[in-house]
Amino acid sequence: MEIKKMTCILCPLGCRMEVSIEKNKIIRIEGNSCPRGEMYARQEVEAPSRIVISVVKCRDCNLPVISVKTEKPVPKERIREVIDSLAEVEVEPPVNVGDIIVEDVAGTGVNVIATRSAERI
Amino acid sequence: MKAESSSKMKSRTYDMAVIGGGAAGLAGAVKAAELGMDVVVLESGERIGGIPMQCIHPGFGNFYYGENLTGPEFSERLIEKVKLTGIKCYTHAHVEGIRHVSDTENMVSVVMPAGITQIRAKTILYAAGARERHAYEIGITGDRVSGVYTAGEAQTLMDIYGIMPGKSVVIIGSGDIGLIMARRFALEGADVKAVVEMLPYPGGLQRNVVQCLEDFGIPLLTSHMVTRIVGKKRVERVILAEVDESFRAIKNSEKEIDCDTVALAAGLVPNIGKLREADIDIDSSTKGPVVNEYMETSLPGIFVAGNALAINDYVDYAAEQGEQAAIGAHLFIEGNMPSDWKPIRKGENIRLVFPHHISGGRDVKIYARVKKPVRDAVVEFPEIDKRVRKRAVMPGEMIIVNLKKQETAGIDELTLRCADGN
Ligand SMILES: Cc1cc2nc3c(=O)[nH]c(=O)nc-3n(C[C@H](O)[C@H](O)[C@H](O)COP(=O)(O)OP(=O)(O)OC[C@H]3O[C@@H](n4cnc5c(N)ncnc54)[C@H](O)[C@@H]3O)c2cc1C
Ligand code: SF4
């Protein structure tokens, strides 16, 4: 049996929880003060995911880089790959907020979109 | 944006001059324009949008737009509105002084590419944001080396100009800004050695402690203080010590951390220099002006909103305050500003509370911070039996209490307190 420690982030109380896991299955969750904590713990153990943010180069733009984000959360263990694959990307103006910058980034099935606009200089 | 000839600006009297084109200023300008006021926005930077333009992480707009946006997305939405309403915005327009000539006339002196210009306005919305505290303000000594940045400077380099400030980083301060910068450095491949915090607990939201530090295995050193920055040309290491309850360094607790960059996230202070000269009342706990529910300062017709009023956790609050100020400015011009104000006082465990005065004539939102964390807290106004229960309150997280008009009718004053609910 494995015990995972985590802090619930759903309210300022920040309950410290211990999740007992056996054969990839959650068998016990302790330390949460309300049911939302249990929900959070399941999500964090079974499919932890995050929105990834970064910047990409922008050629001939009024700004050297523009900011981007993944349209949806990507699995936590793929964050590094997503960031690395963005290092090579260069866009050209005009860019509008919401434009798709990379489709299906690093094979995650998630698009990377622009979060700021840019014009040609 | 094109500059109008200075003589034309001089002869015109605006209903409202907005100083600072950030979240608070733009939201206020849009609201004022919607109310039919003649508005001008004066922004010292290259572009309008304010600080969120360089905060590329999500966490903006949850309340204001009901959506979780990144900083630039939040600001660009406001900018879109500004464009649609046709509000006049001057960039590279740095306000260097405000003169309250009379209760219906203010002169704003602006340094612009076209020269120094005087702008006349019936009301002012001062929304110049905050400034970052520097190393000397938090007692750090040592060599004058390169590689020491405020969090904001580091953020501008990375997220506006695409330049990495360094490879191995120590962050000072565990407020949300420090935590967010730690993640930002880690995401771009820097080795974040530690986040150092003087208090025994992190200053920022739990969400940020988990997603910015724990996700990346970044150590958080609470009850620690960086005492010295060491290096020849560039930062080479920092010296830190453990501190006791009164923040004095504990003997023989010193240690060193090697790093080439120090990012200071030592807190923000309302940027009110220009208002101080205008001689308004300041609250020593918010470090911003004393205001009524319309965010009007002690000088009639001069309003303040956003981080210039008090350091806000969320951009949403800054935008809301800007809107309240616009509504107030509109009332003021129409001669309908209430004149009877009731004070809101600080009671048990309340570090700050604003607005400082309310009319009792409409619904108002009260913003406050506690001194100490409390579990199972009761936040209350005992005079009117108003009680809000919270699972936990933290100094780093603002408390919001919405007061209804009928709850405050007929009161003389109110005291906010926060006690243990057990
Ligand atoms: C690193 C960081 C992370 C943050 N993360 C979040 C988050 O996740 N979620 C969230 O909701 N909020 C977040 N915030 C807070 C949010 O950015 C602020 O609450 C908000 O920007 C305050 O708005 P403002 O209009 O008061 O100030 P600002 O946005 O700072 O705008 C002030 C403007 O005034 C201009 N100005 C200053 N002086 C003058 C002058 N003399 N003349 C003319 N113009 C002047 C400045 O150039 C600036 O454009 C974060 C802040 C920082 C620094
Ligand atoms: S478990 Fe419930 S009470 Fe505890 S932090 Fe999570 S949401 Fe808050």
Side-chain angles (χ1 to χ4, degrees):
Chain A
M1 195 180 71
E2 183 202 352
I3 294 189
K4 242 194 177 137
K5 291 191 177 172
M6 62 177 73
T7 313
C8 176
I9 62 166
L10 299 184
C11 91
L13 196 55
C15 292
R16 310 231 172 241
M17 300 186 286
E18 287 192 357
V19 185
S20 313
I21 302 162
E22 209 168 68
K23 297 198 192 94
N24 287 325
K25 269 212 144 115
I26 297 178
I27 52 170
R28 194 168 55 234
I29 299 173
E30 286 172 305
N32 54 310
S33 309
C34 83
R36 292 205 300 152
E38 187 177 322
M39 216 181 59
Y40 173 77
R42 286 195 185 281
Q43 168 76 27
E44 279 296 286
V45 170
E46 284 159 11
S49 60
R50 304 282 185 264
I51 299 269
V52 179
I53 53 155
S54 190
V55 292
V56 299
K57 288 184 220 81
C58 192
R59 196 184 322 153
D60 303 327
C61 283
N62 55 338
L63 299 161
V65 292
I66 59 151
S67 53
V68 296
K69 71 174 182 188
T70 55
E71 210 168 8
K72 287 187 237 139
V74 299
K76 221 169 111 178
E77 72 275 6
R78 308 294 304 279
I79 293 177
R80 186 81 270 146
E81 280 168 78
V82 170
I83 291 274
D84 288 346
S85 71
L86 290 176
E88 308 302 317
V89 175
E90 190 169 43
V91 296
E92 276 179 40
V95 182
N96 291 309
V97 173
D99 284 359
I100 295 178
I101 303 298
V102 183
E103 256 176 72
D104 183 15
V105 66
T108 54
V110 176
N111 297 333
V112 169
I113 60 172
T115 56
R116 120 170 249 182
S117 56
E119 296 155 21
R120 190 172 293 279
I121 21 172
Chain B
M1 272 157 240
K2 264 213 319 259
E4 213 170 321
S5 80
S6 54
S7 63
K8 199 163 149 205
M9 280 174 89
K10 223 179 270 173
S11 59
R12 180 162 172 187
T13 302
Y14 288 96
D15 290 330
M16 185 162 93
V18 177
I19 300 169
L26 296 183
V30 168
K31 187 79 190 174
E34 285 169 359
L35 292 168
M37 295 164 70
D38 184 16
V39 191
V40 63
V41 175
L42 305 164
E43 165 58 51
S44 58
E46 263 173 65
R47 52 187 81 85
I48 55 173
I51 287 290
M53 292 302 260
Q54 64 183 55
C55 299
I56 68 167
H57 57 278
F60 293 77
N62 280 308
F63 311 110
Y64 196 70
Y65 288 120
E67 264 181 76
N68 188 5
L69 304 171
T70 62
E73 289 172 303
F74 182 94
S75 282
E76 289 220 16
R77 276 204 196 179
L78 275 178
I79 293 169
E80 206 53 45
K81 269 271 186 77
V82 167
K83 284 186 184 151
L84 280 175
T85 33
I87 296 166
K88 193 150 244 0
C89 290
Y90 293 94
T91 52
H92 298 287
H94 182 75
V95 171
E96 53 133 35
I98 296 165
R99 207 153 50 84
H100 188 62
V101 183
S102 73
D103 284 354
T104 50
E105 187 185 344
N106 302 284
M107 294 304 287
V108 181
S109 100
V110 197
V111 183
M112 308 212 286
I116 296 183
T117 305
Q118 301 294 322
I119 289 181
R120 187 183 295 123
K122 291 181 193 160
T123 67
I124 286 178
L125 169 51
Y126 187 85
R131 66 174 183 82
E132 298 183 277
R133 292 208 298 161
H134 266 277
Y136 59 82
E137 290 177 86
I138 55 166
I140 297 177
T141 60
D143 302 323
R144 289 182 163 254
V145 287
S146 69
V148 183
Y149 300 92
T150 65
E153 288 162 357
Q155 202 178 33
T156 307
L157 278 177
M158 287 166 85
D159 293 335
I160 303 281
Y161 297 107
I163 299 166
M164 263 312 265
K167 291 198 184 76
S168 59
V169 191
V170 167
I171 302 213
I172 300 177
S174 70
D176 288 316
I177 295 176
L179 301 176
I180 283 165
M181 284 314 290
R183 171 177 61 188
R184 193 64 199 103
F185 271 111
L187 274 174
E188 296 303 328
D191 179 10
V192 183
K193 296 286 182 79
V195 173
V196 184
E197 171 60 56
M198 208 151 70
L199 295 170
Y201 48 83
L205 303 175
Q206 193 62 49
R207 181 187 73 190
N208 287 331
V209 174
V210 172
Q211 297 197 342
C212 299
L213 301 189
E214 291 174 13
D215 271 10
F216 297 90
I218 298 169
L220 171 63
L221 301 175
T222 52
S223 298
H224 274 77
M225 189 174 127
V226 170
T227 52
R228 225 143 54 81
I229 296 171
V230 184
K232 287 205 185 67
K233 281 199 173 122
R234 175 90 192 186
V235 177
E236 288 165 19
R237 60 188 178 278
V238 297
I239 314 289
L240 51 148
E242 217 172 309
V243 296
D244 60 20
E245 295 93 71
S246 31
F247 308 120
R248 277 184 308 245
I250 296 171
K251 261 199 191 135
N252 302 324
S253 68
E254 282 202 345
K255 52 183 158 240
E256 296 184 1
I257 300 179
D258 291 339
C259 60
D260 64 16
T261 304
V262 174
L264 281 166
L268 302 172
V269 189
N271 172 15
I272 51 164
K274 305 294 172 288
L275 279 184
R276 233 183 244 289
E277 291 155 25
D279 201 18
I280 56 150
D281 295 346
I282 302 294
D283 174 348
S284 60
S285 53
T286 58
K287 307 227 174 355
V290 171
V291 294
N292 63 30
E293 73 194 36
Y294 295 101
M295 314 300 160
E296 186 185 28
T297 66
S298 57
L299 283 182
I302 299 191
F303 297 78
V304 59
N307 279 357
L309 163 59
I311 303 307
N312 287 283
D313 296 348
Y314 298 111
V315 72
D316 311 71
Y317 300 160
E320 287 161 12
Q321 292 155 8
E323 290 187 354
Q324 287 304 314
I327 294 169
H330 184 64
L331 281 183
F332 180 88
I333 289 174
E334 309 248 287
N336 292 332
M337 182 60 88
S339 55
D340 185 18
W341 297 107
K342 285 107 186 174
I344 305 263
R345 301 192 192 284
K346 290 184 279 183
E348 181 186 343
N349 196 23
I350 299 296
R351 184 157 72 81
L352 58 87
V353 59
F354 65 94
H356 306 77
H357 302 279
I358 65 168
S359 66
R362 66 200 267 269
D363 296 357
V364 284
K365 188 166 192 171
I366 307 294
Y367 307 81
R369 269 186 213 285
V370 290
K371 291 182 186 153
K372 292 197 187 95
V374 183
R375 290 182 141 230
D376 293 317
V378 173
V379 180
E380 61 177 347
F381 284 107
E383 294 94 337
I384 52 168
D385 278 334
K386 167 97 177 178
R387 267 183 204 91
V388 186
R389 290 189 170 270
K390 308 245 175 205
R391 277 191 187 283
V393 291
M394 300 284 171
E397 203 149 339
M398 254 179 181
I399 303 173
I400 304 293
V401 184
N402 289 301
L403 284 176
K404 290 253 167 278
K405 177 180 167 180
Q406 55 273 27
E407 290 172 326
T408 57
I411 51 136
D412 293 322
E413 62 170 63
L414 288 178
T415 312
L416 184 67
R417 62 194 288 271
C418 171
D420 199 313
N422 294 323

